[in-house]
Amino acid sequence: MWDYSDTVKEHFYNPRNAGPLPDANAIGEVGSISCGDALRLMLKVDPANETILDASFQTFGCGSAIASSSALTEIIKGKTLEQALEVSNQDIADFLGGLPPEKMHCSVMGREALQSAVANYRGEEWKDDHEEGALICKCFAVDAVMIEETIRANNLCSVEQVTNYTKAGGGCSSCHEGIEEILAKVLAERGEDFKPAPPPEKKVPGKLTTLERIRKIEQVIEKARPNLQRDHGDIELVDVDGKNIYVSMKGACAGCQMEAATLGGVQAQMVEALGELVKVIPVKATAKFAPNTLPA
């Protein structure tokens, strides 16, 4: 259970300014319902002085996403567009009395929605810049530009912090090296040294018993579940047949655009944990013994 402040709980159970804003003249949309949190921010702006007269939101996501969206609308009402653009994701978190580290990405999404809405009002095409940088985290589709900007804006200094703020690195962990390279670059510009966490010692696996093998498979699945559950998805172990591990993707993960990448990340962890080549197969894609399975 996350440790939420009373203010977060209040804005979750009684969100301010939730719902459509019929006379909105600025709309910003970020995120994806199919892959997790999504936010639509609507503003009513006075053309005479660009003051935000009213603000409303519609969101799909966890309690922190709802609370962060509610807080954002309260913060920006009465401000000019330029003043509103100065609001940072940390300002949103501070307004709420803090957010759990694992939920800071919700405040980042609020700031991006605001930037999108202002661009919409001004007739500009807003780009989150994520498509302009190399894709670092394939599990959550986070690129180098977003990671670097978030590190700079929030003075981050570890892979764990980057994961909390952007989700990058929260899946299969194969992108940690790429995140560390970006951290090293930004910290060097600050005159600081980046000290990566020491890698875990790798032990040469011996021959596993059937029970030990099943337990390791279950441990990998359980490790992957929290990050997927945050986005209203889940993964469950269905069956193990030799080198073929059958899983079921649930909720938002079923049919998600990033499903293949997520399964690939889980499969990589399975291979490392078991010390053997295995294939992770979604149940919906096969009648169990499909042609593309690995021979036992």
Side-chain angles (χ1 to χ4, degrees), residues 31-67:
S32 168
I33 290 179
S34 64
C35 292
D37 297 332
L39 171 61
R40 187 171 202 245
L41 179 67
M42 295 152 282
L43 309 177
K44 180 180 179 181
V45 182
D46 185 346
N49 52 22
E50 292 197 334
T51 298
I52 300 173
L53 304 176
D54 201 2
S56 185
F57 75 93
Q58 293 175 296
T59 190
F60 174 88
C62 62
S64 294
I66 295 171

Side-chain angles (χ1 to χ4, degrees), residues 181-204:
E181 291 176 358
I182 299 172
L183 279 165
K185 170 189 171 184
V186 176
L187 289 177
E189 293 174 2
R190 294 186 206 158
E192 303 174 22
D193 293 327
F194 172 63
K195 298 178 180 179
E201 294 184 8
K202 291 187 176 181
K203 298 180 179 180
V204 178

Side-chain angles (χ1 to χ4, degrees), residues 101-141:
E102 298 84 355
K103 294 294 183 179
M104 283 300 295
H105 63 272
C106 295
S107 63
V108 174
M109 185 172 67
R111 172 166 171 74
E112 290 189 335
L114 176 60
Q115 293 172 333
S116 175
V118 172
N120 175 256
Y121 174 79
R122 293 174 173 172
E124 302 168 352
E125 182 181 358
W126 179 79
K127 292 184 178 180
D128 58 13
D129 291 332
H130 299 176
E131 296 180 357
E132 296 182 9
L135 188 63
I136 300 296
C137 177
K138 295 181 180 179
C139 294
F140 293 101

Side-chain angles (χ1 to χ4, degrees), residues 2 7 19 35 76 84 91 158 174 207 215 222 226 250 267 292:
W2 308 115
T7 308
C35 292
I76 62 177
D91 291 331
S158 70
S174 64
K207 177 70 175 178
R215 283 177 176 169
E222 288 303 311
K250 303 288 187 179
Q267 180 171 293
N292 65 338

Side-chain angles (χ1 to χ4, degrees), residues 55-173:
S56 185
F57 75 93
Q58 293 175 296
T59 190
F60 174 88
C62 62
S64 294
I66 295 171
S68 295
S69 303
S70 174
L72 174 63
T73 58
E74 288 290 275
I75 293 171
I76 62 177
K77 281 197 294 185
K79 293 182 181 294
T80 64
L81 295 182
E82 288 302 320
Q83 290 171 337
L85 286 174
E86 294 177 0
V87 175
S88 68
N89 67 282
Q90 189 60 54
D91 291 331
I92 298 171
D94 291 343
F95 183 91
L96 292 168
L99 285 169
E102 298 84 355
K103 294 294 183 179
M104 283 300 295
H105 63 272
C106 295
S107 63
V108 174
M109 185 172 67
R111 172 166 171 74
E112 290 189 335
L114 176 60
Q115 293 172 333
S116 175
V118 172
N120 175 256
Y121 174 79
R122 293 174 173 172
E124 302 168 352
E125 182 181 358
W126 179 79
K127 292 184 178 180
D128 58 13
D129 291 332
H130 299 176
E131 296 180 357
E132 296 182 9
L135 188 63
I136 300 296
C137 177
K138 295 181 180 179
C139 294
F140 293 101
V142 184
D143 80 342
V145 173
M146 181 180 185
I147 292 172
E148 183 172 337
E149 288 183 348
T150 304
I151 291 171
R152 293 182 187 281
N154 298 280
N155 294 315
L156 308 184
C157 58
S158 70
V159 173
E160 181 180 7
Q161 289 176 328
V162 171
T163 300
N164 291 338
Y165 276 72
T166 67
K167 295 187 180 180
C172 70
S173 305

